[in-house]
Amino acid sequence: EVQLLESGGTLVHLGGSLRLSCATSGFDFYNYGMSWVRQAPGKGLEWVSSISGSDGSTYYADSVRGRFTISKDNSKNTLHLQMNSLRAEDTAVYYCAKNYESSGFYEMGAWGQGTLVTVSS
Amino acid sequence: QSALTQPASVSGSPGQSITISCTGTSSDIGEKNLVSWYQQNPGKAPKLLIYEVIKRPSGVSNRFSGSKSGNTASLTVSGLQAEDEADYYCCSYADSRTLVFGGGTKLTVL
């Protein structure tokens, strides 16, 4: 059974940094593309970042490029999101997601339960 | 990376069919057949319903179907059931190998 478990969400000050983690099990983590998607309170889904399973290429939304870094630790089957220079608009539940059937990242077939990041002054 | 356009809400009676549209541009929906649809119940993580425009993951009911014409993708839910009441999001490949979601549609089963 595929399992994804996010952690690291908390209250952080404006301009601060935070590292989210997503521990996975039940599939060959190395081969799959992974993504982070966020949802601000009462709002819709927003794609944040993805990493390819084939070559580790990374992709970012304009809203986070240059501030966030996605990475995979294949030895620990864990996905990370390093978040720097946090803004109030980064407040959201952050979900990690596994691509459905390939090393790409275009269809998110399994999701974690989410972790809440609150950015406040 | 402008959000795809979805109607804010749709509704239907049990047994009926409804269609949710998702409008983008030639740089996203119109460029590749990489449109997916997700169902989200309150307080829960999204669930993949459709990928690559028309494909259904294993375990997803065949009452859900997808299509695309030009820059607009559509999700059809046939034989509406009370359990289908949820929020629905489309998502597409966009230029520069990014993804973009629609704003979401709330489906109400009357």
Side-chain angles (χ1 to χ4, degrees):
Chain A
E1 179 190 5
V2 172
Q3 292 192 334
L4 307 172
L5 183 63
E6 302 96 336
S7 61
T10 189
L11 173 64
V12 62
H13 290 299
L14 282 170
S17 297
L18 200 59
R19 189 194 199 202
L20 304 183
S21 298
C22 175
T24 75
S25 62
F27 65 100
D28 188 358
F29 181 74
Y30 174 82
N31 283 327
Y32 281 85
M34 300 290 296
S35 299
W36 289 96
V37 175
R38 68 186 181 185
Q39 187 168 34
K43 302 297 184 182
L45 301 175
E46 180 188 10
W47 174 75
V48 173
S49 180
S50 296
I51 184 165
S52 167
S54 58
D55 60 6
S57 296
T58 57
Y59 308 92
Y60 300 94
D62 288 345
S63 58
V64 306
R65 185 175 293 113
R67 300 189 298 124
F68 290 11
T69 302
I70 190 172
S71 61
K72 294 178 77 183
D73 184 340
N74 291 323
S75 67
K76 296 183 178 179
N77 294 339
T78 300
L79 179 72
H80 298 289
L81 185 68
Q82 177 66 41
M83 309 163 65
N84 298 331
S85 302
L86 283 162
R87 306 168 180 169
E89 55 265 36
D90 295 320
T91 293
V93 172
Y94 284 73
Y95 294 101
C96 77
K98 164 193 168 292
N99 204 59
Y100 178 58
E101 61 178 13
S102 72
S103 63
F105 58 90
Y106 303 118
E107 60 269 354
M108 290 162 273
W111 298 64
Q113 86 292 344
T115 188
L116 177 62
V117 173
T118 303
V119 184
S120 175
S121 56
Chain B
Q1 294 171 347
S2 298
L4 306 174
T5 301
Q6 297 180 233
S9 63
V10 298
S11 63
S13 300
Q16 289 185 332
S17 295
I18 62 93
T19 297
I20 299 173
S21 62
C22 173
T23 302
T25 70
S26 57
S27 296
D28 40 62
I29 291 178
E31 180 164 353
K32 292 183 183 290
N33 289 328
L34 291 172
V35 177
S36 53
W37 289 90
Y38 300 86
Q39 177 191 60
Q40 187 180 34
N41 288 297
K44 302 294 186 181
K47 172 188 175 183
L48 179 66
L49 293 178
I50 298 289
Y51 68 102
E52 293 180 8
V53 178
I54 60 171
K55 297 180 180 180
R56 257 189 323 273
S58 61
V60 172
S61 170
N62 59 9
R63 298 186 300 104
F64 295 94
S65 62
S67 63
K68 189 184 91 166
S69 178
N71 298 334
T72 299
S74 299
L75 173 73
T76 297
V77 186
S78 58
L80 268 180
Q81 300 178 1
E83 67 198 49
D84 298 330
E85 188 161 293
D87 293 326
Y88 292 82
Y89 294 90
C90 60
C91 181
S92 174
Y93 165 97
D95 53 4
S96 303
R97 301 195 74 189
T98 59
L99 290 176
V100 60
F101 278 95
T105 298
K106 180 175 180 60
L107 170 60
T108 301
V109 181
L110 302 171

